[in-house]
Amino acid sequence: MGILNVTPDSFSDGGLWSDPARALDHARSMVADGADLVDVGGESTRPGSARITAEEEWSRIGEAVEALAAEGILVSVDTVHAGTARRAAEVGAALVNDVSGGRADPGMPAAMAASGCACIIQHWRGFPGSPQEDFAYADVVADVCAELLAQVDSVVAAGVDPARIAVDPGLGFSLLHDQSWALVDSVESLVGLGYPVVVGASRKRFLALRGGDDPGWDRDRATAEITRRAARAGVWAVRVHDVAGSARAVREAATGKEQA
Ligand code: PMM
């Protein structure tokens, strides 16, 4: 899943793809590099970023969502807003990717159900940097799994078909660096929940924790390493900026052979 952030303020690529023509070119190049899905987002969730309305969000991403879907590209819309999920589904989006897993907007579970889209339910306690953000866990892997299943139950109760649900631990969201790594190291537990699993490690700050003194360690390389592990563990999708690196890692995991 290639990331297309049409935002002025995302941590890694903010402002790069605000021009619609450039955004579309970038999405196409990610598909050419091996992305099966393009995840289009218009609102950054980095700590301290400004919350925006569904209207503002749609003005940023609507054109790209519609154009990509019209080209036959599978589009996922990264939004916490029910209104955006609804509009994206109307113009052909295939997935709703809600980092709050149906929690931030009370209308989202019903919008997901009505959309007919597949839905990514991400583990969620609150917006990064908000008072609801909480890093206390008795056992981070067990707690994230249990809280995720409770979120899944809520959206299923609103009418979302369980067969259309994927789950995501939300690396970096209400998770300290070592807690994100604990989830990466136990990704099999997430796969064991019985839903397709999405992992979004790409370029996140927690990756630096395992770099040590290795001069070749960078966040894209670390992301590709996590992709390789995730693919071996049966993870359904990884959400990444550098698609070529992760596509190579997926192929290597499938064949057991290093590729040039
Ligand atoms: N992370 C971000 C945004 N959306 N969606 C899913 N499903 N999983 C994630 O881990 C996730 C996400 C934040 O990263 P970005 O600023 O690079 O988009």
Side-chain angles (χ1 to χ4, degrees):
M1 176 189 285
I3 301 173
L4 182 64
N5 280 327
V6 193
T7 52
D9 56 351
S10 278
F11 76 88
S12 154
D13 51 0
L16 269 182
W17 317 116
S18 301
D19 170 56
R22 289 188 65 194
L24 293 179
D25 278 350
H26 182 56
R28 291 182 195 117
S29 78
M30 290 193 292
V31 171
D33 283 343
D36 296 312
L37 277 164
V38 173
D39 187 47
V40 185
E43 179 177 21
S44 171
T45 45
R46 67 186 290 177
S49 58
R51 301 269 63 78
I52 58 170
T53 62
E55 278 303 313
E56 168 73 17
E57 186 174 48
W58 191 249
S59 74
R60 293 181 185 179
I61 66 168
E63 197 177 326
V65 172
E66 188 162 6
L68 293 172
E71 285 182 24
I73 292 174
L74 279 181
V75 177
S76 147
V77 62
D78 186 345
T79 183
V80 298
H81 299 282
T84 304
R86 225 177 275 115
R87 292 175 87 164
E90 278 164 20
V91 299
L95 279 96
V96 176
N97 171 27
D98 177 3
V99 294
S100 84
R103 290 282 201 247
D105 182 338
M108 181 58 106
M112 284 176 164
S115 73
C117 290
C119 301
I120 300 174
I121 302 300
Q122 188 193 273
H123 175 253
W124 180 255
R125 289 181 164 187
F127 282 100
S130 76
Q132 290 74 38
E133 191 181 34
D134 174 6
F135 302 97
Y137 298 89
D139 172 330
V140 68
V141 175
D143 292 358
V144 166
C145 288
E147 290 169 24
L148 251 181
L149 288 179
Q151 290 177 241
V152 167
D153 284 348
S154 300
V155 299
V156 169
V160 176
D161 178 354
R164 303 185 77 81
I165 289 177
V167 296
D168 183 329
L171 301 177
F173 289 85
S174 290
L175 293 168
L176 301 172
H177 293 355
D178 59 332
Q179 294 169 330
S180 287
W181 273 113
L183 284 155
V184 169
D185 290 339
S186 298
V187 73
E188 292 78 7
S189 305
L190 290 151
V191 174
L193 295 176
Y195 292 93
V197 172
V198 179
V199 168
S202 191
R203 296 185 183 167
K204 288 185 178 170
R205 277 188 306 156
F206 80 92
L207 295 171
L209 196 67
R210 296 243 176 118
D213 294 328
D214 181 349
W217 184 263
D218 66 38
R219 289 190 196 179
D220 278 334
R221 197 178 126 194
T223 303
E225 285 304 318
I226 290 178
T227 296
R228 188 189 319 274
R229 274 186 89 129
R232 287 202 186 115
V235 162
W236 178 69
V238 288
R239 179 182 177 278
V240 297
H241 300 87
D242 170 29
V243 170
S246 275
R248 195 179 314 117
V250 169
R251 286 193 300 271
E252 287 173 0
T255 60
K257 292 192 192 123
E258 293 255 330
Q259 302 206 335

